[in-house]
């Protein structure tokens, strides 16, 4: 549960690896509530061992500190984060930033393992794309190249 009075502060905190996304759009905030005069924010990492979580926690505390509010941040691993938690606004922001948004699980497998041409280029919109590497700029992304405009781009892998 997220206290509605805290949403605007949390929406101002960017994902450290994808700065065009807020942590709310990324779907990592599981709860945010007042407890004994402090805010307690619970976040879930996009994958276990995600190096951005410490930075995210520090950024959350700093955002609340600007509002003269003390905040504590805790991690919860269950339920595991899924790309389904990325908001529609977040998916659109990914595309505008040049990262292809995750497909559904079956299409993701076909794109990453079956060599199907279904990942849309965020630059020109073509689906004539090919995977260059299973890993892109971070472990949660794969590197693709558009066969139309020839631009390389990251594809955010589907995680379920």
């Amino acid at each position: 549960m997220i206290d509605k009075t805290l949403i605007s502060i949390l929406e101002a905190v960017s994902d450290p690896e994808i700065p065009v996304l807020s942590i709310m759009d990324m779907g990592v905030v599981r709860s945010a509530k007042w407890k004994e005069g402090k805010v307690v924010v619970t976040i879930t990492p996009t994958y276990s061992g995600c190096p951005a979580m410490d930075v995210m926690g520090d950024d959350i505390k700093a955002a609340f500190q600007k509002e003269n509010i003390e905040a504590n941040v805790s991690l919860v691993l269950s339920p595991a984060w899924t790309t389904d938690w990325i908001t529609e606004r977040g998916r659109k922001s990914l595309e505008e930033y040049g990262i292809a948004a995750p497909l559904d699980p079956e299409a993701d497998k076909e794109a990453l393992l079956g060599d199907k041409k279904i990942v849309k280029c965020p630059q020109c919109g073509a689906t004539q794309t090919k995977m260059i590497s299973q890993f892109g700029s971070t472990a949660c992304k794969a590197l693709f190249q558009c066969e139309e405009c020839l631009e390389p781009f990251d594809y955010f892998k589907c995680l379920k």
Side-chain angles (χ1 to χ4, degrees):
M1 166 123 184
I2 299 175
D3 185 311
K4 293 180 194 281
T5 63
L6 306 174
I7 291 175
S8 63
I9 296 170
L10 292 166
E11 285 179 336
V13 178
S14 297
D15 180 295
E17 293 177 338
I18 310 171
V20 296
L21 291 183
S22 75
I23 59 173
M24 294 295 288
D25 282 331
M26 197 63 180
V28 299
V29 178
R30 304 307 329 135
S31 69
K33 55 190 169 194
W34 289 96
K35 185 175 182 181
E36 299 174 7
K38 299 177 186 175
V39 171
V40 178
V41 180
T42 303
I43 56 178
T44 297
T46 54
Y47 67 95
S48 63
C50 176
M53 296 315 291
D54 288 339
V55 173
M56 216 175 280
D58 291 344
D59 290 349
I60 291 168
K61 289 176 188 174
F64 280 102
Q65 188 174 23
K66 283 182 188 174
E67 302 296 324
N68 295 316
I69 300 170
E70 187 176 343
N72 293 324
V73 178
S74 63
L75 291 178
V76 63
L77 300 177
S78 181
W81 181 85
T82 168
T83 48
D84 288 345
W85 294 355
I86 300 174
T87 66
E88 283 305 312
R89 182 174 66 190
R91 290 172 181 275
K92 185 176 182 211
S93 295
L94 279 172
E95 297 279 340
E96 291 171 354
Y97 191 61
I99 299 172
L103 300 169
D104 65 71
E106 191 59 38
D108 182 80
K109 288 177 192 169
E110 291 174 350
L112 295 173
L113 304 173
D115 201 30
K116 285 208 173 178
K117 308 283 186 184
I118 53 178
V119 175
K120 186 177 85 171
C121 173
Q123 310 301 325
C124 72
T127 55
Q128 291 297 84
T129 61
K130 64 181 178 181
M131 185 177 61
I132 303 298
S133 173
Q134 283 278 347
F135 298 98
S137 60
T138 60
C140 58
K141 298 182 203 98
L143 181 62
F144 274 69
Q145 182 178 25
C146 180
E147 295 176 327
E148 296 289 323
C149 70
L150 303 178
E151 288 294 320
F153 63 92
D154 276 335
Y155 161 66
F156 202 112
K157 298 173 192 173
C158 175
L159 298 173
K160 285 273 189 187

